Amino acid sequence: MSAAREHPFESRKGKWTTIAKDLRRNKYVYILALPVILYYAVFHYGPMYGLLMAFKDFSIADGIWGSEWIGFEHFRNFFNSYYFERLLRNTVLINVYELIFAFPAPIILALLLNEIRSRLFKRTVQTISYLPHFVSIVVVTGIMFDFLARDGLVNQILGFFGIESIPFMSEAGWFRTLYVGSGIWQGVGWGSIIYLAAIATIDPTLYEAAKMDGAGRWKQMLHITLPGMLPTIIIIFILNMGSMLSVGSEKVLLMYSPLTYETADVISTFVYRRGVLETDYGFTTAVGLFNSVVSFILLVLANSISKRVSEHKLW
Amino acid sequence: MANKRTAGETIFVWFNALILTGLCFVTLYPFVYVAFASFSDPASLAQHRGLLFTPLDINFEAYKAVFNNPMITTGYRNTLIYVAAGTAINLVATAIGAYLLSRRNLYFKNLLMMLIVITMFFGGGLIPTYLLINNLGMLNTIWAMLIPGMIGTFNMIIMRTAFQSVPISLEESAKIDGANDLIILFRIIIPLSMPVIAVMILWYAVGHWNSYFGALIYLRDRELFPLQLVLREILITNTTDNMMTEASGDRMAIADTIKYATIIVSTLPILLLYPFLQKYFVKGVLIGAIKE
Amino acid sequence: MKVNRLKVFWIVLLAATMSMTAAGCGGSAKEQPQATLDPESPPVLSELTYWVQIVSQVSATMKSYNEIEAYKELESLTGVKVDFQHPPQGQQATEQFNLMMTSDKLPDVIEYSWAGYPGGPEKAIKDGKIIKLNDLIDQHAPNFKKVLEEHPEWKKEIMTDDGSIYVFPFLRTDDKLKVFLGPTIRQDWLDKLGLSMPTTIDEWYNVLKAFKEQDPNGNGKADEIPLYLTKGDVDTTTAFLGAWGINAGFYQEEGQVKYGPTDPRFKEFLTLMNQWYKEGLLDQDFATTDEKMLEAKITGGQIGSAILYTGSGIGKYGTLMKDKDPNFRLVAAPYPVMNKGDKQIWGYKDYAFNGIGAAITTSNKNPIETVKWLDYGYSEEGTLLFNFGKEGVSYTMEDGKPKFKPEVLNDPSGLPVIQSMSKHNRATFSGPFMLDIRFDEQYTTEPDQLESKIIWAEPTMEKKMPRTTPTQAESSRYASIMTDINTYKDEMYLKFVMGAEPLDQFDKYVKTIESMGLAEALEIQQNALERYGKR
């Protein structure tokens, strides 16, 4: 048992003795946390039988237990869809791009903000940068359509430089760039908040010591600030790995058109369009379960890799 | 402070300031656009394309429509209650959970963590959750707004990570002085993790402020509706392509400006929260304070 | 001290959590409701819970339907106090409805679009959620019974395939009430260029060409967009495509279900659209233009013709442009046909029954009295009450015709008509009653709007599929086939029209759709149509 190995005061007796000892020693911790444990038991594990719907021909009247078993029918339906591969590819690619571009953006912003000495300027930038988080996606996409239209602002500027106008919103090739780019635009400030908090907990004496050693700002950033943020960065990275198969449908639905399906149609929008025809809880659950299983495997992988290369891990 | 800058550093400082100023403009703009648009004349706005640098023919119709709604004060009141009570419950529960998971010498630590992470990916979906809420008697009550989302697992893991970075020596010396877990959590760990606590307050409060889905499925009593739901309805009032409104011809022309006004009305109050929390993001303030 | 208080707090919280959990475990046993009707139900109905989505024109000024004058009057007439339960508005109220259906304690009356119940209304009856009303109507609803006897075509629409009547429906009693969407054109542009209203595809071509080349908006630039026609417009109204005698989905010809998008005639339509697109007659951005941009293009005087609504198109833009461009006149155009004098087959016409109706649930303790209560809406007086409100308050009778009072049509506090009316009646939205043409005549007042309803009511719609319902087993299969087909056909439509895919690929396109299971989908529709025919 790896858990037993990690146990610092363990003298290799039986498992049960260890557990009994642990319960005795950490009695108050467990009692304190009981409501939390109960919460997870009741509100998360309690309803989990709903996953059975993925294997059933769910009908409202019969309920989850009473509905008829149909095995992997919903999964077959999904995997055999003419578009399955395209959906999977689009979903994963958007996530990969987000991981490459959108994930580091708030970290870089936090580092840059940290280098600002003027407190007023720093606070102003912070406050302003997080504002777009509060603008609804409908409005953001509305502004995008307006600015990126064939005769919109961006093309007017391009035209000024003699570049032929580009129909951004109707070209499949542009979709991912626009999706990820607008996501960064809207979320970078808000995303940086957690990293700023991580920086704020770094012991200031470390910087003083570094200065004594003659370290410049670049070195300080590299050797003190970044390592101080690292636990947070790694944990968020691992958790992000677990969402590789999910792209929220709301924004894609607002942005795409059949013209850009080629790159824009993702699993969630496909399920949504199917849902327009029929409320099919069974099918939706099956697709969700498929997502969950893949995501969870990715998360476990990311966690074990991280465990090897750094000491930061989820478990 | 900056008395011995190298040339490279000077360039960096200016470059950095430039980048961040640019970022400010780019990110501020959508918000400014929304603000200007909300005060514009709907007809002028409809014809306008591109950037807005001032409201077009100032007009308050959209705000009138929002504030004349019979539900608006109810909505504000309820949302304030949900934000205050909800965030308080969230914080206490999340802190306790994070404390549990951050203990180094817990036998079940990894098992618990695994079980909790699983819930981020696997859930029973709406129907069993609804039945649970129904059976608990929370349907159509304030509890349905507060309890089911008591802990955000992502937040709890972030908080645990922060708790883990508190130097163990402080804890151990406290233990020698006879402190129990409650004292360690509330007297040592939380004060040392205030930046993360501030982030959590912000995330949870904004989450409650913006949330409407729970209300959408659990509430039928309009007296309990939160602000976001009321605003959504106002929006729908002015945009629905309902058969009869379509046939009628007096679908109000303020639809578009209403959309912007609701954003302003719903965002401004919660924006005020940030400046109060901002002081916790200043490096070193807390550690210095504790060590005194 | 502090620690002690905290301890107490935790003990309390713990206890509370445990009791909640206990309740959670104990309460989940499912009780089957008694669906049988109690013959000795109490004769007096005094209270009723009524679940219905509140519509926006009501929620703008009121908190519940109880405040509507018609319901206040109904309460004093019948003595029934209604407790209206209003879920939040919008699409997602569906979610609340579906979830509510998983539980057994339901409101007494649920007004909803019951076709949305998974498996259809017949399934809702079989599932023991709502009750079959045929016998109750026969015995206790004389007014509604009379209506159904006089209008067998309505009866057919509101029945399930098995012949069950499950709701008190919303009925549009006049063809003009079913028409509110169609092609519109700038009459002032036609006049300026000396053109007459186009009726055939060729005439349309000439008109659009003239719009493009002769600068009808007079700004010296060729920035006119002669036609704005989206894929969605073709799907819903069949405008232009209808000239070929097919639509963009399933239709029926002498009892045979057919599918438009794979018909050779669809290729001819696509060829034309492709040509118009290349010549700049069709909006170059028709695939990505959103509502706001369309609005900007119309008010900016660029659009020559588009598919629009009576209200939010002809009415709205007429008002918006009044000051800006006094000549602006957007009017309804007839649906184009192929040859002069051809009869219009395709257009947009809604059904008499729009699907929304009030059903009585199995939780209702007094169905007989509830039926009587609902039946009032189909009487002479009930029709007046729901369409016009209370006599003397919102309308008066003049020469035997109800006439709205001026303060209702022109609210002194400046409320839009739809909101000021909704304080009195239910005619601006669906409900269990019959919509009266006399209401609409006072509601839609602009001559161009009234005219549009006459022009757009022209198509015979003889090939339109009736409101069929697939069985539950069929519907899952159908959804799975059609999701793929729709994705593909929507994508290809744009590619063909915009020239990204040459039209000689049409045969390959047909083959692909067939390989996705079109035959099976056709069979499902065919079966549904045959079941409908047997009603």
Side-chain angles (χ1 to χ4, degrees):
Chain A
M1 283 247 80
S2 67
R5 229 189 308 120
E6 282 174 13
H7 214 283
F9 315 108
E10 184 44 43
S11 56
R12 278 170 224 282
K13 284 182 196 159
K15 194 164 114 192
W16 291 110
T17 344
T18 321
I19 291 175
K21 220 171 162 183
D22 176 70
L23 285 178
R24 217 174 312 126
R25 188 181 44 238
N26 291 313
K27 188 166 56 186
Y28 292 111
V29 183
Y30 284 119
I31 291 176
L32 185 67
L34 203 56
V36 173
I37 294 168
L38 279 176
Y39 165 76
Y40 275 95
V42 174
F43 285 93
H44 287 277
Y45 281 90
M48 224 173 259
Y49 66 95
L51 287 173
L52 292 177
M53 276 191 288
F55 308 97
K56 290 194 160 208
D57 184 15
F58 177 73
S59 106
I60 280 181
D62 301 329
I64 292 163
W65 298 112
S67 291
E68 196 190 329
W69 289 98
I70 52 162
F72 287 87
E73 184 64 33
H74 290 309
F75 292 89
R76 263 197 297 275
N77 251 333
F78 178 50
F79 297 146
N80 289 339
S81 161
Y82 185 82
Y83 288 109
F84 177 71
E85 273 171 48
R86 187 173 88 178
L87 296 169
L88 196 64
R89 185 178 62 232
N90 287 342
T91 311
V92 170
L93 275 179
I94 284 181
N95 271 301
V96 169
Y97 286 139
E98 287 202 315
L99 212 57
I100 297 173
F101 299 105
F103 175 71
I107 301 174
I108 294 168
L109 176 62
L111 286 173
L112 292 181
L113 275 171
N114 186 47
E115 295 304 320
I116 297 289
R117 291 288 172 261
S118 155
R119 200 169 270 191
L120 180 72
F121 182 54
K122 186 173 169 180
R123 286 196 170 190
T124 315
V125 176
Q126 257 182 55
T127 311
I128 288 176
S129 71
Y130 95 138
L131 283 180
H133 174 79
F134 292 92
V135 179
S136 73
I137 292 176
V138 185
V139 173
V140 170
T141 49
I143 294 177
M144 279 170 78
F145 269 101
D146 191 352
F147 286 8
L148 295 171
R150 199 185 293 269
D151 53 353
L153 186 76
V154 175
N155 274 319
Q156 282 169 19
I157 295 170
L158 289 181
F160 186 74
F161 292 105
I163 302 167
E164 208 170 303
S165 80
I166 304 166
F168 291 100
M169 300 307 282
S170 51
E171 260 181 30
W174 276 99
F175 180 81
R176 290 183 191 122
T177 314
L178 294 176
Y179 182 88
V180 176
S182 62
I184 295 176
W185 177 47
Q186 208 188 352
V188 67
W190 184 254
S192 69
I193 289 174
I194 184 66
Y195 297 113
L196 287 171
I199 293 175
T201 35
I202 296 173
D203 189 344
T205 53
L206 292 175
Y207 288 100
E208 277 150 34
K211 263 184 221 152
M212 299 281 204
D213 295 345
R217 290 171 75 166
W218 174 245
K219 286 227 160 104
Q220 287 177 32
M221 185 198 279
L222 214 59
H223 296 296
I224 300 169
T225 316
L226 256 181
M229 293 162 76
L230 206 58
T232 310
I233 294 177
I234 289 181
I235 294 298
I236 291 182
F237 181 82
I238 295 176
L239 292 175
N240 269 1
M241 284 302 289
S243 59
M244 283 300 273
L245 278 194
S246 47
V247 171
S249 61
E250 194 189 356
K251 189 168 160 191
V252 181
L253 286 174
L254 287 166
M255 275 180 71
Y256 79 173
S257 70
L259 274 182
T260 47
Y261 276 179
E262 191 59 44
T263 51
D265 200 14
V266 291
I267 295 174
S268 61
T269 50
F270 179 81
V271 171
Y272 174 86
R273 285 206 308 279
R274 214 192 122 132
V276 171
L277 287 167
E278 186 202 14
T279 331
D280 191 342
Y281 286 104
F283 182 76
T284 318
T285 313
V287 174
L289 186 59
F290 166 73
N291 277 358
S292 303
V293 170
V294 176
S295 305
F296 191 64
I297 291 171
L298 286 172
L299 178 103
V300 171
L301 277 176
N303 187 48
S304 64
I305 291 171
S306 168
K307 207 152 47 172
R308 265 194 218 137
V309 300
S310 75
E311 70 271 40
H312 305 293
K313 57 186 168 41
L314 280 175
W315 64 80
Chain B
M1 257 227 181
N3 44 1
K4 43 178 181 175
R5 270 189 199 154
T6 65
E9 277 181 4
T10 315
I11 292 172
F12 170 76
V13 167
W14 285 106
F15 190 62
N16 188 11
L18 202 70
I19 291 181
L20 293 180
T21 314
L23 182 87
C24 274
F25 276 110
V26 176
T27 50
L28 184 63
Y29 188 71
F31 205 75
V32 171
Y33 180 95
V34 168
F36 286 161
S38 71
F39 286 108
S40 293
D41 174 64
S44 316
L45 188 69
Q47 285 158 36
H48 182 82
R49 301 287 303 273
L51 295 168
L52 266 184
F53 290 108
T54 161
L56 303 164
D57 308 322
I58 290 197
N59 176 310
F60 298 95
E61 285 306 314
Y63 288 92
K64 249 191 235 161
V66 171
F67 287 107
N68 280 343
N69 189 280
M71 292 285 295
I72 195 88
T73 36
T74 317
Y76 261 118
R77 186 198 63 210
N78 289 334
T79 289
L80 284 177
I81 295 171
Y82 299 154
V83 168
T87 308
I89 294 174
N90 290 146
L91 271 185
V92 174
T94 309
I96 290 169
Y99 180 71
L100 173 76
L101 297 173
S102 70
R103 299 296 78 203
R104 290 166 179 82
N105 59 356
L106 223 54
Y107 184 79
F108 295 108
K109 190 179 70 175
N110 283 343
L111 179 71
L112 284 173
M113 191 66 194
M114 179 78 112
L115 286 175
I116 280 168
V117 170
I118 284 176
T119 64
M120 290 178 81
F121 298 97
F122 300 93
L126 271 179
I127 294 176
T129 312
Y130 179 86
L131 290 174
L132 175 73
I133 302 294
N134 194 359
N135 290 332
L136 293 178
M138 289 184 186
L139 205 67
N140 214 5
T141 68
I142 177 174
W143 302 110
M145 299 291 97
L146 304 178
I147 303 298
M150 190 165 90
I151 295 177
T153 304
F154 183 89
N155 295 356
M156 185 167 76
I157 292 172
I158 298 289
M159 215 192 228
R160 176 201 78 142
T161 311
F163 285 3
Q164 277 174 340
S165 63
V166 171
I168 194 155
S169 55
L170 288 174
E171 228 177 89
E172 276 164 1
S173 58
K175 271 215 167 122
I176 291 165
D177 293 342
N180 62 22
D181 288 294
L182 271 179
I183 293 177
I184 292 174
L185 174 59
F186 285 97
R187 282 285 167 78
I188 296 170
I189 296 197
I190 288 184
L192 278 175
S193 310
M194 273 321 275
V196 158
I197 302 284
V199 174
M200 291 301 143
I201 292 176
L202 191 66
W203 282 0
Y204 276 126
V206 169
H208 282 290
W209 186 273
N210 287 335
S211 86
Y212 61 84
F213 189 71
L216 209 54
I217 55 175
Y218 297 131
L219 299 184
R220 269 180 236 171
D221 182 354
R222 296 176 67 78
E223 288 299 320
L224 292 173
F225 279 12
L227 180 69
Q228 295 295 343
L229 217 48
V230 177
L231 291 177
R232 272 172 59 86
E233 292 201 339
I234 295 175
L235 205 59
I236 291 168
T237 308
N238 296 286
T239 48
T240 329
D241 289 341
N242 164 312
M243 181 279 296
M244 282 314 294
T245 40
E246 286 303 353
S248 76
D250 67 2
R251 194 177 85 148
M252 285 180 297
I254 50 173
D256 226 42
T257 48
I258 284 247
K259 185 165 74 189
Y260 300 112
T262 52
I263 293 174
I264 297 295
V265 168
S266 71
T267 308
L268 277 185
I270 194 82
L271 286 183
L272 299 177
L273 189 62
Y274 193 58
F276 290 105
L277 296 171
Q278 217 170 20
K279 63 171 185 235
Y280 294 110
F281 299 136
V282 177
K283 186 166 60 189
V285 166
L286 286 143
I287 296 201
I290 287 289
K291 283 190 175 165
E292 271 168 22
Chain C
M1 276 298 272
K2 204 170 188 177
V3 176
N4 272 337
R5 245 184 305 167
L6 271 170
K7 243 181 201 160
V8 173
F9 168 63
W10 281 117
I11 290 165
V12 172
L13 189 70
L14 244 173
T17 321
M18 297 224 292
S19 60
M20 262 153 45
T21 327
C25 299
S28 55
K30 214 180 154 194
E31 289 162 40
Q32 263 326 111
Q34 295 278 292
T36 48
L37 307 178
D38 186 356
E40 286 169 89
S41 49
V44 186
L45 181 74
S46 56
E47 278 184 340
L48 205 59
T49 49
Y50 193 124
W51 190 94
V52 57
Q53 275 193 67
I54 194 167
V55 295
S56 44
Q57 53 265 47
V58 175
S59 70
T61 58
M62 291 170 274
K63 284 190 175 181
S64 119
Y65 282 7
N66 282 119
E67 297 173 39
I68 299 175
E69 207 61 51
Y71 277 109
K72 285 191 204 156
E73 178 67 9
L74 189 61
E75 187 182 329
S76 67
L77 283 172
T78 59
V80 180
K81 172 105 190 73
V82 184
D83 169 20
F84 280 105
Q85 300 181 346
H86 297 301
Q89 292 167 36
Q91 284 289 307
Q92 281 132 314
T94 316
E95 207 87 69
Q96 192 180 79
F97 171 82
N98 284 335
L99 290 168
M100 182 170 74
M101 283 296 132
T102 62
S103 84
D104 297 318
K105 183 81 194 77
L106 300 172
D108 294 329
V109 176
I110 297 179
E111 185 184 317
Y112 190 68
S113 182
W114 282 91
Y117 181 90
E122 187 64 44
K123 186 80 171 35
I125 296 174
K126 292 208 176 95
D127 287 349
K129 301 295 176 192
I130 57 176
I131 59 177
K132 187 170 169 171
L133 298 172
N134 301 42
D135 295 343
L136 286 166
I137 289 170
D138 233 23
Q139 293 161 23
H140 305 287
N143 298 309
F144 187 46
K145 191 180 167 189
K146 190 163 148 251
V147 169
L148 293 182
E149 277 166 0
E150 284 167 6
H151 295 277
E153 75 281 9
W154 294 348
K155 188 172 180 185
K156 208 169 167 182
E157 268 189 42
I158 65 165
M159 270 189 324
T160 66
D161 289 339
D162 297 354
S164 312
I165 295 172
Y166 55 97
V167 286
F168 282 83
F170 176 63
L171 292 169
R172 300 191 190 98
T173 54
D174 193 293
D175 256 7
K176 279 186 220 154
L177 297 167
K178 304 177 201 166
V179 173
F180 39 80
L181 175 67
T184 62
I185 194 163
R186 286 284 296 269
Q187 179 68 49
D188 52 322
W189 286 14
L190 289 175
D191 295 345
K192 192 170 175 184
L193 304 179
L195 300 161
S196 55
M197 178 66 78
T199 55
T200 66
I201 295 284
D202 289 339
E203 284 173 12
W204 268 92
Y205 177 74
N206 292 332
V207 164
L208 298 178
K209 200 86 186 154
F211 280 179
K212 181 83 195 165
E213 288 162 359
Q214 298 177 27
D215 191 28
N217 67 10
N219 65 356
K221 284 186 281 184
D223 62 346
E224 285 84 0
I225 298 166
L227 174 63
Y228 176 80
L229 180 74
T230 68
K231 187 189 65 60
D233 292 336
V234 177
D235 288 347
T236 45
T237 67
T238 323
F240 296 95
L241 171 62
W244 276 270
I246 55 172
N247 75 345
F250 292 99
Y251 66 97
Q252 56 99 16
E253 225 162 37
E254 282 147 23
Q256 274 296 312
V257 177
K258 296 184 173 167
Y259 188 61
T262 52
D263 194 290
R265 287 170 284 179
F266 200 76
K267 185 181 175 184
E268 291 172 28
F269 166 72
L270 287 173
T271 313
L272 180 81
M273 285 297 128
N274 176 242
Q275 185 203 337
W276 286 8
Y277 182 79
K278 277 191 296 204
E279 293 182 22
L281 304 182
L282 191 62
D283 185 0
Q284 301 295 297
D285 295 314
F286 75 95
T288 48
T289 301
D290 66 0
E291 212 186 321
K292 180 177 183 288
M293 287 164 74
L294 174 63
E295 209 169 294
K297 284 175 180 177
I298 294 176
T299 53
Q302 280 184 282
I303 301 255
S305 56
I307 306 297
L308 294 169
Y309 287 92
T310 308
S312 67
I314 297 177
K316 178 170 116 182
Y317 292 115
T319 320
L320 272 180
M321 298 299 287
K322 214 178 276 168
D323 306 325
K324 203 188 164 214
D325 178 1
N327 291 325
F328 182 97
R329 194 164 159 233
L330 194 64
V331 302
Y335 282 91
V337 291
M338 195 50 77
N339 302 305
K340 196 101 192 153
D342 278 1
K343 107 185 136 167
Q344 298 172 40
I345 297 176
W346 285 105
Y348 179 82
K349 196 182 282 179
D350 217 324
Y351 304 93
F353 170 44
N354 73 347
I356 293 176
I360 298 176
T361 68
T362 45
S363 303
N364 190 318
K365 298 234 167 51
N366 197 341
I368 292 175
E369 289 303 312
T370 312
V371 163
K372 288 182 185 165
W373 182 78
L374 283 165
D375 183 53
Y376 182 78
Y378 300 84
S379 66
E380 200 57 49
E381 310 82 62
T383 303
L384 281 174
L385 183 65
F386 281 119
N387 280 284
F388 299 96
K390 188 179 175 184
E391 188 174 356
V393 178
S394 52
Y395 76 97
T396 49
M397 289 303 255
E398 282 172 29
D399 310 327
K401 272 192 141 187
K403 205 132 182 69
F404 278 114
K405 288 190 161 183
E407 62 264 34
V408 175
L409 292 171
N410 222 327
D411 187 74
S413 62
L415 285 181
V417 189
I418 191 166
Q419 287 179 15
S420 77
M421 273 197 179
S422 302
K423 288 184 158 184
H424 300 282
N425 60 18
R426 274 200 76 165
T428 59
F429 52 99
S430 318
F433 67 98
M434 298 188 292
L435 187 61
D436 198 313
I437 186 71
R438 291 172 299 179
F439 158 78
D440 197 60
E441 283 161 0
Q442 297 175 60
Y443 186 47
T444 311
T445 47
E446 289 293 318
D448 282 342
Q449 283 176 261
L450 287 169
E451 186 69 14
S452 75
K453 298 196 168 202
I454 296 164
I455 292 172
W456 292 338
E458 196 60 37
T460 58
M461 307 301 289
E462 60 199 46
K463 295 183 183 176
K464 190 182 180 185
M465 289 284 282
R467 190 190 292 282
T468 55
T469 31
T471 64
Q472 199 197 6
E474 285 170 348
S475 69
S476 166
R477 183 71 195 129
Y478 181 75
S480 133
I481 296 170
M482 289 315 290
T483 312
D484 280 349
I485 290 185
N486 286 334
T487 306
Y488 182 71
K489 120 186 135 106
D490 291 351
E491 220 172 314
M492 293 304 284
Y493 176 89
L494 296 179
K495 283 185 178 165
F496 281 135
V497 173
M498 299 175 85
E501 192 81 37
L503 277 149
D504 50 27
Q505 292 293 308
F506 189 79
D507 291 341
K508 209 183 122 214
Y509 152 89
V510 173
K511 285 217 177 64
T512 310
I513 290 185
E514 280 166 356
S515 75
M516 287 169 166
L518 179 64
E520 207 182 329
L522 272 167
E523 196 187 315
I524 291 171
Q525 286 286 359
Q526 185 70 43
N527 290 338
L529 181 66
E530 275 158 26
R531 283 195 307 268
Y532 186 85
K534 289 195 195 109
R535 282 182 189 180

